[in-house]
């Protein structure tokens, strides 16, 4: 159907009027891969400084949210002001759609330099590190693995849980770390051969790290490749689990927020991004999003007592993950014989 110019102008005018109304009504709409219970503390903290802003959050698992955003961005009509996703996923969306505005929050200089987005597109909220999680009832401290390489030991056959890259956005950070980063450090124990060997131990591939957390806590799969946020949640609720810092190090997935270029309420969106990097919000991150603050001047210790300032974070290569996502899934599937 051909649209006449008057009709097109009328529709455009209606959209502009709707956007103006949204900006005036104080609504701040956020798409989030972070669960409601994790977002609530941040919403309440933001509300103390901005009581007139009505924060409305729509939560979807990461992969579902990416699908939603792909559809909306192709249509040129994202239905939110902000999105909360990992930095790599935001970078991929930006490469494909140029959907986000750049913004430097007021206290960005206080954020650790290695976790900042050089493009200025996403604003880091916290660091979610990959660690080993184990069930303390099923595995003793003396017997627990101490490295990523230990997962290849045949004694862990049918004991391990790992997120499936076809359904988990986060696990791509771990796959990059094993397949690309460690080999670049002249560590010949890793690369894609590692995943071929790991597949021989029959790890359980799951859609989400939350499911893996619960499986580890119950003992169904007593050993897991896990994110700090879920390990922190287990620690907070008293699960019989503990975390291990692998000898080879841990990749840091950056949990971030980004503002859409055509946000209906850009003023409120910028206020949210300012708040996210503030010392107040950063102190909430372990209890809220469950991951480590990105400011060293905020007191935080990991569940094992390690201070955040004493940890060397290996930031993931978000550009590589964004560009090679599909090929990495294919190579992972090949390694696992799928």
């Amino acid at each position: 159907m051909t649209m006449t110019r008057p009709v097109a102008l009328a529709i455009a005018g209606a959209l502009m009027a709707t956007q103006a109304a949204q900006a005036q009504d104080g609504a701040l709409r956020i798409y989030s891969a972070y669960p409601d219970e994790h977002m609530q503390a941040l919403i309440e903290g933001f509300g103390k400084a901005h009581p007139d802003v009505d924060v409305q959050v729509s939560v979807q698992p990461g992969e579902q949210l990416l699908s939603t955003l792909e559809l909306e961005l192709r249509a040129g009509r994202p239905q939110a002001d902000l999105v909360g996703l990992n930095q790599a996923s935001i970078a991929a969306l930006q490469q494909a759609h140029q959907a986000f505005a750049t913004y430097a929050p007021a206290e960005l200089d206080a954020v650790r330099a290695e976790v900042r987005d050089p493009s200025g597109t996403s604003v880091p909220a916290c660091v979610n590190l990959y660690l080993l999680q184990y069930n303390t009832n099923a595995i003793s401290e003396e017997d627990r693995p101490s490295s990523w390489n230990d997962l290849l030991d045949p004694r862990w056959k049918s004991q391990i849980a790992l997120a499936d890259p076809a359904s988990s956005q986060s696990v791509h950070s771990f796959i990059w770390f094993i397949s690309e980063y460690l080999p670049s450090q002249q560590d010949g124990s890793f690369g894609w051969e590692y995943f071929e060997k790991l597949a021989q131990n029959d790890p359980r591939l799951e859609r989400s790290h939350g499911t893996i957390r619960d499986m580890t806590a119950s003992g169904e799969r007593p050993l897991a490749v896990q994110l700090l946020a879920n390990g922190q949640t287990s620690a907070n609720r008293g699960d019989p689990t503990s975390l291990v810092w692998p000898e080879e190090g841990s990749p840091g997935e950056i949990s971030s927020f980004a503002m859409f270029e055509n946000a209906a309420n850009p003023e409120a969106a910028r206020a949210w991004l300012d708040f996210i990097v503030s010392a107040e919000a950063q102190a909430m991150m372990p209890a809220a999003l469950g991951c480590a603050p990105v400011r060293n001047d905020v007191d935080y210790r990991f569940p094992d007592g390690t201070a955040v300032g004493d940890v060397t974070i290996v930031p993931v290569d978000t550009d590589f993950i964004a560009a090679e996502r599909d090929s990495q899934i294919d190579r992972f599937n090949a390694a696992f014989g799928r």
Side-chain angles (χ1 to χ4, degrees), residues 42 72 89 108 123 179 220 279 333 338:
L42 297 176
E72 293 186 359
S89 294
L108 186 62
V123 173
S179 68
E220 181 180 354
N333 287 341
R338 300 199 296 177

Side-chain angles (χ1 to χ4, degrees), residues 18-20 22-24 27 29 80-81 260 262-266:
T18 299
Q19 290 176 341
Q22 289 172 345
Q24 292 169 6
R29 295 168 175 82
D81 302 295
F260 288 102
N262 60 347
N265 201 340

Side-chain angles (χ1 to χ4, degrees), residues 244-258:
V244 178
W245 290 94
E247 294 170 358
E248 303 93 345
S250 296
E253 177 193 81
I254 315 302
S255 297
S256 303
F257 288 89

Side-chain angles (χ1 to χ4, degrees), residues 129-132 148 177 244-246 248-252 311-315:
L129 295 161
Y130 264 97
L131 305 168
L132 289 167
W148 297 119
F177 184 72
V244 178
W245 290 94
E248 303 93 345
S250 296
V311 173
T312 300
I313 298 170
V314 180

Side-chain angles (χ1 to χ4, degrees), residues 134-145 155-156 244:
Y134 70 98
N135 183 295
T136 54
N137 291 335
I139 302 172
S140 69
E141 185 174 358
E142 293 75 21
D143 291 337
R144 64 176 173 77
R155 67 176 171 155
W156 302 123
V244 178

Side-chain angles (χ1 to χ4, degrees), residues 57-76:
V57 180
S58 175
V59 174
Q60 295 182 47
E63 288 300 315
Q64 291 181 26
L65 180 53
L66 284 173
S67 296
T68 297
L69 288 169
E70 281 288 345
L71 290 173
E72 293 186 359
L73 292 173
R74 286 173 188 170

